[in-house]
Amino acid sequence: MTAAQLATLEAAVARHNGTRRARILDVTQVLDAIALALVDPHGLGLVHGGETTVPADRTTLCLAVRDGAQLTIGIATSRARGPTPATAWPALQPWNHDQLEKNRDRLRAWARDPARVTFAIDPARARVPAPPADLSALLGAVLADPDDDAPREVYADRLIELGDPRGEFITIQLALARTSDFAELLEREARANTLLAAHGAHWHRDLAQVSLRQQYRRGFVEAVDVRARTFVEHGERLLELAPIRRVRLHEVEPATLRKLARCPALGRVRELGFASRLPDRNALRLAAGGQLRGLRALDLAGTAIQARGLSALLDATPALERVTLASIADPLAEALARYPGLQIISQTSRLFPGAPYLALERTGRLEIRPTIVRS
């Protein structure tokens, strides 16, 4: 790539980022897209600034396409709700998610547009620098045993040796999980937040391509919010990037539900939540998929779940230890009474409790935990 081509890309990124402070790209992410295109069997590298579920939100998107000895790059503004090449460039509609090779003719026509940046490559010599081999192995140890702090400590020590500030961040968060000293908590958390603000976008940029929100605990992303369709398509990749324990699904639509219910990645999730309603018929389909047997916690607070759907989900989760609900009407209390080993969290208490609710309350398994609203 020539200096002039790089300058053209930098100008395009700045133009499409505009005045937005969120969901923007930088030139290093353009280089990420190029690296992906060099190793992808379909020759495609796609990177965006992040997605949301808000239809009006926008994100900056970079598409790199390798075709023989030519690599073409385009920068555009896309909708942030499920960004794809087709949402950024109408010429790429319709975009085939399942069979990427069917997009090839449209991509070749797209690449001929003079607005793109195109340069020659030697596919036989193009190589993407890999991280140190020991780092990949150490991360594998973290993923293999997410409950154990020891692999995380070893990984952090190696990063510190390499001068990577994430090593310090992991060390601090591990200490935070162990200390109860209030002054120490404040000091360490302030430092962790400073590091996260400075470097977080880089640390979880791969995760940001397939999830809406990322939450760190003990130095790694352990919880994500993700659109249900995205989880179906990229769930396995998501779980290979970080020791994710909790997944909160958005936009659980009927068209996606059948695939979601059978999604193998769902069987690897230990804590599952929902950011959309879950009617009984959808809960029944999800339960019938057989992928919920390993769940330890289920957050149904945002689903308006009814007793029939709740019972189906609880029958399908024999390892479940905790369920969270927005409130517990008497039909739900009757259903919950049939699962004596379950811890039950309600975000609100009943003002006029009936007999089933009072009976559930007397078991000592019910905890009222009001929702904390953050501005």
Side-chain angles (χ1 to χ4, degrees):
M1 185 187 303
T2 66
Q5 288 172 324
L6 183 58
T8 299
L9 286 172
E10 289 175 337
V13 168
R15 183 171 68 255
H16 289 288
N17 283 343
T19 58
R20 274 185 287 115
R21 292 177 178 244
R23 300 176 303 282
I24 60 176
L25 288 183
D26 58 32
V27 174
T28 61
Q29 290 166 300
V30 173
L31 298 179
D32 285 344
I34 293 172
L36 288 170
L38 291 175
V39 299
D40 181 73
H42 300 286
L44 296 180
L46 181 67
V47 176
H48 56 74
E51 64 174 317
T52 72
T53 59
V54 180
D57 283 347
R58 293 290 178 265
T59 188
T60 306
L61 183 145
C62 173
L63 175 64
V65 178
R66 171 175 50 85
D67 189 5
Q70 177 176 295
L71 195 137
T72 304
I73 307 165
I75 312 290
T77 304
S78 166
R79 73 180 186 213
R81 185 177 184 177
T84 69
T87 67
W89 293 281
L92 294 178
Q93 296 176 3
W95 185 259
N96 193 310
H97 294 270
D98 300 318
Q99 296 175 288
L100 291 174
E101 64 276 5
K102 291 191 173 181
N103 302 306
R104 180 57 58 189
D105 290 342
R106 284 188 293 276
L107 283 167
R108 283 176 174 155
W110 172 89
R112 288 194 293 271
D113 189 316
R116 318 287 175 238
V117 172
T118 301
F119 56 94
I121 58 170
D122 181 349
R125 298 179 62 187
R127 293 290 182 269
V128 179
D134 64 331
L135 267 187
S136 297
L138 293 175
L139 178 59
V142 173
L143 297 177
D145 194 356
D147 292 326
D148 189 358
D149 282 351
R152 299 183 187 224
E153 291 169 345
V154 174
Y155 188 77
D157 289 344
R158 180 63 177 127
L159 289 174
I160 290 170
E161 289 175 5
L162 294 171
D164 190 326
R166 190 170 175 197
E168 181 190 358
F169 176 77
I170 296 170
T171 301
I172 290 172
Q173 281 217 319
L174 287 171
L176 280 171
R178 299 169 185 153
T179 186
S180 57
D181 181 88
F182 186 68
E184 184 181 354
L185 279 170
L186 287 178
E187 182 180 353
R188 288 182 179 273
E189 188 164 2
R191 177 58 181 161
N193 288 341
T194 298
L195 289 167
L196 189 59
H199 305 286
H202 173 73
W203 293 338
H204 59 247
R205 62 183 176 182
D206 290 339
L207 283 166
Q209 300 304 302
V210 287
S211 61
L212 299 164
R213 185 171 178 241
Q214 308 80 31
Q215 291 179 280
Y216 285 83
R217 184 173 178 271
R218 294 161 57 226
F220 292 79
V221 173
E222 287 200 353
V224 294
D225 282 43
V226 60
R227 295 168 70 238
R229 176 175 175 173
T230 305
F231 186 80
V232 168
E233 294 176 355
H234 303 292
E236 292 291 344
R237 177 189 169 200
L238 189 70
L239 298 176
E240 289 170 359
L241 291 171
I244 294 167
R245 305 177 64 86
R246 186 180 191 278
V247 172
R248 186 168 181 253
L249 295 172
H250 293 245
E251 300 179 5
V252 184
E253 299 165 346
T256 307
L257 196 67
R258 196 174 300 277
K259 290 182 180 179
L260 176 66
R262 299 189 179 98
C263 179
L266 190 61
R268 296 172 56 189
V269 174
R270 292 297 166 259
E271 299 182 22
L272 182 64
F274 299 86
S276 57
R277 294 174 64 86
L278 196 66
D280 277 354
R281 64 181 180 277
N282 290 356
L284 291 169
R285 288 176 184 170
L286 193 61
Q291 299 293 343
L292 304 180
R293 299 186 63 81
L295 278 186
R296 300 292 189 272
L298 185 58
D299 187 346
L300 300 169
T303 64
I305 193 83
Q306 301 297 308
R308 185 180 176 214
L310 176 62
S311 295
L313 291 174
L314 296 183
D315 286 340
T317 51
L320 199 69
E321 300 168 356
R322 183 176 76 251
V323 63
T324 301
L325 298 154
S327 63
I328 301 176
D330 286 341
L332 292 180
E334 290 176 352
L336 290 165
R338 296 194 291 271
Y339 304 89
L342 194 61
Q343 178 192 4
I344 303 157
I345 297 170
S346 177
Q347 293 180 344
T348 59
S349 58
R350 299 291 293 175
L351 291 176
F352 303 102
Y357 182 89
L358 290 171
L360 186 65
E361 199 174 48
R362 284 195 293 272
T363 65
R365 298 188 291 123
L366 175 60
E367 177 186 350
I368 307 302
R369 193 180 293 177
T371 303
I372 299 174
V373 178
R374 300 184 186 277
S375 58

